Amino acid sequence: MDVAFRPGGEKLSVPNDRRGITRLVRTISRLTPECVVLEASGGYERRLLERLAEEELPVALVNPHNIREFARASGRLAKTDAIDAAVLAHFAEVMKPELRRLPDPETRKLRALITRRNQLVRMMTAEQNRQLQALESVRAGLAAIIRCLKKQIAVLDKQLAALIRATPAFRQKADLLRSAPGVGPVVSATLIGHLSELGTLNRKKIAALVGVAPFNRDSGRMKGKRAIWGGRGDVRAMLYMSTLAAVRLNPSLHAFHSRLRSAGKSPKMALTACMRKLVVMLNAMLKVGSRCSEERTRPVKLIAATAPT
């Protein structure tokens, strides 16, 4: 790991193992930093992030894309680990990123189970697609793998349900979320684990955090087409499937979807707007601790077809 300090400009390089992390944390602790910024790197930063949080040091985790754009804006086109460390330190000094709090052990366990389940579902989908085009000589092997994956997914579903039942905070949130039409056990677990801010932010911030808030693209007299951007992809994917059911079960969402389609909006655009409306509704439910009323969950006939993302 390459480390850079501001404003002094000192540099340090340590191995990304237990001994190197211990040495780095001791060095940082002596300096009493204002903020320690890490670049998200697919999990390689996790051990250091957890150790810094345990030592109660102020730490922030930032998107590598933002760092690269900041480097280009600063005139640094070359890219090495040492240069990236210096850019990270400069970024922290200028932008003052929001500090990150490490989730509690139950939330980390819930996230791990959800992430593993998503991985297995993607693997099973890939095997099922291969099975459709496979020759007869290999279909038996594909079928065996698919059966194994289904069993593993079922085991994870039981573990998720048990963890939520055993954790009072999770159980209370799941009870509220699952009262909404279209929100099942997997969707509620995903929202609890990967969208812990649900119920604490206002409607605009929670929609932007999920990635279903449209952003303007205007300049002068030109009015560009608004589009969603960023957000949490895993949460948005689950919310998409949930909304497919919600627009059929919830009369208000159904009416909203039909109104958008009648106004000429494309199926995907109308469904994205319903996704935003649904997450705002779920956010309000958790904020006030209110269940979705039964009168709003009667099935309706949905005629307009929607295309999956």
Side-chain angles (χ1 to χ4, degrees):
M1 292 184 295
D2 286 277
V3 188
F5 300 87
R6 299 279 292 198
E10 300 88 349
K11 295 182 180 181
L12 179 66
S13 181
V14 298
N16 190 10
D17 55 22
R18 182 174 300 179
R19 183 175 297 180
I21 289 175
T22 300
R23 175 190 168 193
L24 178 59
V25 170
R26 287 176 180 172
T27 301
I28 293 175
S29 299
R30 289 196 297 266
L31 298 174
T32 60
E34 181 180 344
C35 182
V36 182
V37 179
L38 307 180
E39 184 181 58
S41 56
Y44 290 102
E45 78 290 346
R46 186 174 296 124
R47 286 186 296 181
L48 177 59
L49 178 65
E50 292 177 353
R51 184 66 184 277
L52 291 169
E54 290 173 1
E55 298 294 331
E56 298 183 352
L57 291 168
V59 60
L61 190 66
V62 296
N63 191 323
H65 175 77
N66 296 340
I67 300 302
R68 196 66 236 147
E69 293 298 320
F70 181 83
R72 292 192 181 99
S74 304
R76 297 194 178 193
L77 303 182
K79 178 175 171 41
T80 66
D81 290 342
I83 291 176
D84 286 349
V87 172
L88 271 171
H90 190 195
F91 178 89
E93 186 180 41
V94 174
M95 303 302 296
K96 308 292 183 184
E98 183 179 356
L99 299 181
R100 181 187 180 97
R101 291 184 179 178
L102 197 67
D104 57 83
E106 289 79 11
T107 300
R108 295 206 299 271
K109 183 178 179 181
L110 181 64
R111 289 180 179 180
L113 292 173
I114 294 169
T115 299
R116 183 55 184 163
R117 188 187 189 279
N118 291 339
Q119 292 169 350
L120 293 179
V121 169
R122 285 193 290 267
M123 291 167 61
M124 186 177 68
T125 302
E127 292 296 274
Q128 289 174 334
N129 291 336
R130 295 186 186 104
Q131 190 180 37
L132 294 175
Q133 306 297 332
L135 297 176
E136 193 66 31
S137 57
V138 298
R139 285 188 179 180
L142 289 169
I145 293 176
I146 292 171
R147 286 195 301 270
C148 179
L149 291 173
K150 286 182 178 179
K151 290 180 181 179
Q152 290 297 315
I153 292 172
V155 170
L156 286 173
D157 286 340
K158 292 180 181 179
Q159 292 177 345
L160 283 169
L163 178 59
I164 290 176
R165 285 196 305 268
T167 310
F170 292 169
R171 187 171 63 248
Q172 182 181 7
K173 286 185 177 181
D175 181 61
L176 294 175
L177 291 172
R178 294 191 62 181
S179 69
V183 179
V186 177
V187 175
S188 63
T190 302
L191 292 174
I192 294 170
H194 289 287
L195 194 63
S196 56
E197 298 87 352
L198 194 67
T200 64
L201 303 178
N202 61 40
R203 51 192 291 176
K204 292 183 178 180
K205 289 184 178 180
I206 198 66
L209 192 61
V210 175
V212 292
F215 292 97
N216 296 338
R217 294 174 179 267
D218 303 336
S219 180
R221 295 183 180 181
M222 189 274 292
K223 300 296 181 182
K225 184 177 180 180
R226 298 202 302 171
I228 62 175
W229 182 262
R232 300 179 182 175
D234 289 342
V235 175
R236 191 167 56 252
M238 285 292 179
L239 192 66
Y240 178 89
M241 301 307 298
S242 179
T243 306
L244 285 175
V247 294
R248 181 176 60 85
L249 296 171
N250 191 317
S252 62
L253 274 181
H254 173 71
F256 180 62
H257 181 270
S258 299
R259 187 165 63 251
L260 292 175
R261 293 290 288 125
S262 300
K265 304 299 182 182
S266 67
K268 190 176 291 186
M269 185 179 296
L271 196 64
T272 301
C274 290
M275 289 167 61
R276 183 185 186 279
K277 192 175 183 69
L278 177 60
V279 74
V280 168
M281 181 187 74
L282 297 176
N283 185 64
M285 287 168 54
L286 290 189
K287 184 174 291 188
V288 301
S290 172
R291 292 170 58 88
C292 187
S293 61
E294 295 182 1
E295 291 77 8
R296 299 177 59 189
T297 62
R298 293 173 298 176
V300 294
K301 187 176 181 181
L302 182 61
I303 300 176
T306 54
T309 55

PDB file of all heavy atoms in Angstrom, residues 37 89 124 141 207 269:
ATOM      1  N   VAL A  37      -8.159   8.782   4.049  1.00  0.00           N
ATOM      2  CA  VAL A  37      -8.969   8.479   2.873  1.00  0.00           C
ATOM      3  C   VAL A  37      -8.438   7.233   2.185  1.00  0.00           C
ATOM      4  O   VAL A  37      -7.240   7.130   1.894  1.00  0.00           O
ATOM      5  CB  VAL A  37      -8.975   9.670   1.883  1.00  0.00           C
ATOM      6  CG1 VAL A  37      -9.794   9.329   0.643  1.00  0.00           C
ATOM      7  CG2 VAL A  37      -9.562  10.894   2.550  1.00  0.00           C
ATOM      8  N   ALA A  89      -4.597  12.069  -1.073  1.00  0.00           N
ATOM      9  CA  ALA A  89      -4.352  13.007   0.022  1.00  0.00           C
ATOM     10  C   ALA A  89      -4.781  14.420  -0.357  1.00  0.00           C
ATOM     11  O   ALA A  89      -5.372  15.151   0.450  1.00  0.00           O
ATOM     12  CB  ALA A  89      -2.872  12.977   0.408  1.00  0.00           C
ATOM     13  N   MET A 124     -26.194 -19.141 -11.467  1.00  0.00           N
ATOM     14  CA  MET A 124     -27.267 -20.027 -11.886  1.00  0.00           C
ATOM     15  C   MET A 124     -27.908 -19.541 -13.183  1.00  0.00           C
ATOM     16  O   MET A 124     -28.228 -20.336 -14.074  1.00  0.00           O
ATOM     17  CB  MET A 124     -28.323 -20.142 -10.789  1.00  0.00           C
ATOM     18  CG  MET A 124     -29.419 -21.160 -11.100  1.00  0.00           C
ATOM     19  SD  MET A 124     -30.594 -21.341  -9.749  1.00  0.00           S
ATOM     20  CE  MET A 124     -31.406 -19.731  -9.803  1.00  0.00           C
ATOM     21  N   GLY A 141     -24.544 -32.447 -16.918  1.00  0.00           N
ATOM     22  CA  GLY A 141     -23.608 -31.753 -16.038  1.00  0.00           C
ATOM     23  C   GLY A 141     -24.102 -30.370 -15.656  1.00  0.00           C
ATOM     24  O   GLY A 141     -23.975 -29.947 -14.505  1.00  0.00           O
ATOM     25  N   ALA A 207     -33.510   8.950  -2.983  1.00  0.00           N
ATOM     26  CA  ALA A 207     -33.638   8.592  -4.395  1.00  0.00           C
ATOM     27  C   ALA A 207     -32.297   8.691  -5.106  1.00  0.00           C
ATOM     28  O   ALA A 207     -31.948   7.831  -5.929  1.00  0.00           O
ATOM     29  CB  ALA A 207     -34.666   9.496  -5.069  1.00  0.00           C
ATOM     30  N   MET A 269     -38.836   4.121 -18.782  1.00  0.00           N
ATOM     31  CA  MET A 269     -38.867   5.406 -18.097  1.00  0.00           C
ATOM     32  C   MET A 269     -40.000   5.447 -17.074  1.00  0.00           C
ATOM     33  O   MET A 269     -39.826   5.934 -15.946  1.00  0.00           O
ATOM     34  CB  MET A 269     -39.039   6.543 -19.108  1.00  0.00           C
ATOM     35  CG  MET A 269     -38.957   7.934 -18.515  1.00  0.00           C
ATOM     36  SD  MET A 269     -39.144   9.224 -19.762  1.00  0.00           S
ATOM     37  CE  MET A 269     -37.680   8.933 -20.759  1.00  0.00           C
TER      38      MET A 269
END
